[in-house]
Amino acid sequence: MRQLRITSLVLSSFLLLSGCAISKYKRLFCDKIIITTQDVAPVIPASGLVKYKASIDVLKNHLSGLLLVKETDSLTKRLVFVTELGLKMFDFEARNGTINTVYVFDPLNKPVMIDALKRNFNHMLLLDAYWREAGKCAQKDRQIFALRSDPDKRYLSVADTASRALSLQETFHNHKLESRIEYSYDKHTERYTKIKAKQYGLVKFYFDLELIPPSHD
Amino acid sequence: MYKFILFLSFPLAAFSQAFRPVKDTTALKAKIENMSKATNSIESDFVQEKDLAMLSEKITSKGHFAFKKDNLLRWEYSTPSKYLIVINKEKVMIKDEKKTSKYDMNSNKVFREINDIMVSSVQGTIFRSHKFKTNYFENDKFYKLELIPQDKNMKDTFKKINLYFDKSVTSVAKMEMVEASEDVTLLEFTNKKLNAPIADNQFSIK
């Protein structure tokens, strides 16, 4: 009986928490816009190469190395993850918001893993965020951009409208928090220096990206 | 005249660097076996260059490694990131800037494979593995062992691994891993110390 009460208490707290998480985006007054880089500063610059020290944690596995993101043409970006030992873990090609696999290291080649990597990198690096319909909403001291593709809802929070720097991105699936991404932005270099993501659910994923400044690579 | 001699000598220099098949492979194998038997420990600095087809520049990492018979290996990167792998017989410890992880080699096939390649490469005995078909080449400076993976999983990752030995066959001078995608990782070893004492605590996993 006591066990049942504890379980219901934990469950109800969880529901309350996830309810609170989505409720902060309710009652927003939004204008319909087409979201561009003039609204939210892009993570990947229009040309050149971006390097991040990267780590991915899933279950008991910890993977670290270098994430390289390069725009190969105006529509295409390549994402390559190489471990410190020089082993390539994956090579993805992003085009028009869709990520295709070029190569995946065999032990990682599991559908759940690939889907999670593609979805999270798509969101973290804003690869599929631009040139789509969004709600532009004002909320207290920040601007919220709401992207909807049922049953998913994504909210991009821009705390500093001058720099257009993204500070938080949350995605909900059927009203449940699916992922939370936090950004740190350097106004001087106009680059995102740290990106931390957590994917909730049965199998949790943690992603940590730390920008390697171009002068230090 | 000087330019003419220089022009003539250029193809000759290029030719001396070109690799040709080794005629007496049995003698070379015996030399490598002797080298491996005579080597109880190795310490060396290394420079790792990763050449990705998508990049115009190479990714360079530097570090130091220590090896001691049997199966004790410390492989440490100092730049651009701090990263350490310690292999102590059946145990593996990986420490990066954020986390320390420990694994049992027997519970993880990937680590078993990586351990086999790393340890047998620094010892030069990788050519004994049934997972590779070995071709033997030489030029004026090096012997080159071209290892072609035979195992399906290995083939998916590597097209070939080239091991270079100096002509006196005292140790591995460099190692080149060519991936199926033609991306190349080159490891060059410098400041080598052979059979110098190495404290056991270098390989401790706590």
Side-chain angles (χ1 to χ4, degrees):
Chain A
M1 187 61 189
R2 190 167 176 267
Q3 183 73 34
L4 187 72
R5 278 170 63 188
I6 292 170
T7 313
S8 347
L9 197 67
V10 170
L11 252 169
S12 55
S13 329
F14 173 74
L15 288 172
L16 193 70
L17 280 172
S18 30
C20 285
I22 187 107
S23 69
K24 71 179 171 191
Y25 298 111
K26 281 187 176 163
R27 295 188 197 92
L28 289 173
F29 296 100
C30 312
D31 296 323
K32 258 189 192 177
I33 59 154
I34 298 294
I35 188 168
T36 70
T37 52
Q38 295 305 308
D39 301 301
V40 179
V43 177
I44 309 301
S47 60
L49 171 73
V50 187
K51 294 179 190 175
Y52 291 99
K53 279 185 193 175
S55 68
I56 302 168
D57 286 89
V58 52
L59 298 171
K60 284 180 181 174
N61 300 304
H62 175 72
L63 200 62
S64 68
L66 216 56
L67 177 76
L68 308 157
V69 189
K70 189 181 181 183
E71 187 171 270
T72 49
D73 62 56
S74 60
L75 296 173
T76 318
K77 290 179 180 74
R78 284 284 284 276
L79 285 78
V80 178
F81 189 103
V82 185
T83 66
E84 284 85 353
L85 283 173
L87 271 177
K88 192 161 65 178
M89 292 288 109
F90 60 79
D91 183 347
F92 293 147
E93 189 177 75
R95 200 174 165 84
N96 294 332
T98 307
I99 297 188
N100 296 311
T101 306
V102 179
Y103 168 83
V104 176
F105 183 54
D106 193 55
L108 289 185
N109 206 354
K110 313 267 185 298
V112 177
M113 186 73 182
I114 305 292
D115 287 350
L117 290 174
K118 286 182 178 176
R119 185 173 54 251
N120 284 289
F121 281 112
N122 228 347
H123 287 193
M124 277 190 281
L125 305 176
L126 302 176
L127 298 174
D128 63 343
Y130 299 111
W131 302 107
R132 55 188 286 187
E133 202 172 82
K136 185 179 179 179
C137 335
Q139 190 198 53
K140 290 181 188 165
D141 54 345
R142 60 186 57 218
Q143 227 159 32
I144 308 283
F145 294 89
L147 305 169
R148 290 169 194 225
S149 51
D150 284 335
D152 292 345
K153 291 186 176 77
R154 256 165 94 188
Y155 298 95
L156 315 183
S157 302
V158 173
D160 180 5
T161 48
S163 67
R164 301 164 287 114
L166 189 59
S167 55
L168 178 70
Q169 179 178 177
E170 289 183 312
T171 304
F172 297 86
H173 181 75
N174 286 330
H175 305 286
K176 267 193 196 165
L177 184 61
E178 186 185 63
S179 73
R180 180 184 164 86
I181 308 169
E182 292 170 358
Y183 295 84
S184 303
Y185 188 79
D186 182 343
K187 282 184 198 171
H188 300 290
T189 57
E190 299 184 336
R191 292 281 179 95
Y192 291 93
T193 50
K194 278 185 184 173
I195 304 173
K196 269 175 181 280
K198 183 176 178 181
Q199 184 196 295
Y200 298 88
L202 210 57
V203 181
K204 292 179 179 61
F205 284 79
Y206 299 86
F207 297 85
D208 209 332
L209 304 181
E210 192 180 326
L211 183 75
I212 300 174
S215 55
H216 291 87
D217 54 6
Chain B
M1 185 63 185
Y2 172 74
K3 278 183 182 171
F4 181 66
I5 292 169
L6 200 69
F7 174 73
L8 279 182
S9 65
F10 178 73
L12 198 68
F15 180 73
S16 67
Q17 295 304 309
F19 281 94
R20 55 195 179 273
V22 170
K23 284 178 188 161
D24 189 354
T25 55
T26 313
L28 177 58
K29 280 183 205 171
K31 276 185 191 175
I32 297 169
E33 289 288 358
N34 288 340
M35 176 207 85
S36 175
K37 274 182 201 157
T39 310
N40 292 312
S41 74
I42 312 168
E43 259 198 279
S44 172
D45 294 331
F46 65 83
V47 176
Q48 178 182 299
E49 278 186 349
K50 180 84 189 172
D51 194 355
L52 284 161
M54 71 170 264
L55 289 184
S56 51
E57 65 201 280
K58 289 173 182 167
I59 304 163
T60 306
S61 316
K62 289 178 184 173
H64 184 84
F65 90 85
F67 164 77
K68 197 169 167 179
K69 268 183 183 167
D70 280 327
N71 215 6
L72 298 174
L73 183 73
R74 183 185 174 91
W75 192 276
E76 190 166 18
Y77 291 86
S78 48
T79 58
S81 310
K82 300 220 181 302
Y83 187 80
L84 169 70
I85 293 186
V86 177
I87 296 171
N88 190 323
K89 305 215 164 38
E90 299 301 313
K91 304 274 180 210
V92 182
M93 181 184 79
I94 298 177
K95 190 177 178 181
D96 62 25
E97 289 171 353
K98 289 183 181 129
K99 199 170 178 176
T100 302
S101 313
K102 289 171 196 165
Y103 303 92
D104 188 331
M105 198 88 76
N106 295 318
S107 67
N108 195 315
K109 198 184 153 199
V110 181
F111 282 120
R112 166 69 64 194
E113 294 280 0
I114 290 172
N115 169 65
D116 286 352
I117 292 178
M118 286 176 85
V119 173
S120 59
S121 297
V122 295
Q123 279 194 290
T125 54
I126 194 170
F127 72 94
R128 284 189 207 145
S129 169
H130 64 276
K131 289 177 183 164
F132 298 97
K133 177 183 170 263
T134 311
N135 298 315
Y136 300 84
F137 299 95
E138 66 179 318
N139 67 7
D140 292 350
K141 279 177 113 178
F142 298 108
Y143 285 111
K144 178 171 95 170
L145 268 59
E146 186 186 68
L147 303 145
I148 314 286
Q150 301 298 295
D151 174 81
K152 200 238 164 229
N153 288 338
M154 197 73 89
K155 265 187 196 173
D156 288 344
T157 307
F158 297 115
K159 186 178 175 187
K160 62 182 174 184
I161 296 173
N162 294 324
L163 274 189
Y164 295 82
F165 296 86
D166 52 68
K167 289 298 281 232
S168 54
V169 193
T170 52
S171 62
V172 176
K174 55 183 177 174
M175 181 179 171
E176 196 174 39
M177 290 169 281
V178 183
E179 291 171 35
S181 59
E182 297 291 339
D183 293 339
V184 179
T185 307
L186 176 69
L187 277 159
E188 281 199 82
F189 303 106
T190 54
N191 303 324
K192 272 177 275 184
K193 285 184 207 161
L194 300 176
N195 294 327
I198 306 172
D200 281 343
N201 65 9
Q202 292 279 302
F203 310 101
S204 70
I205 293 177
K206 287 175 191 168

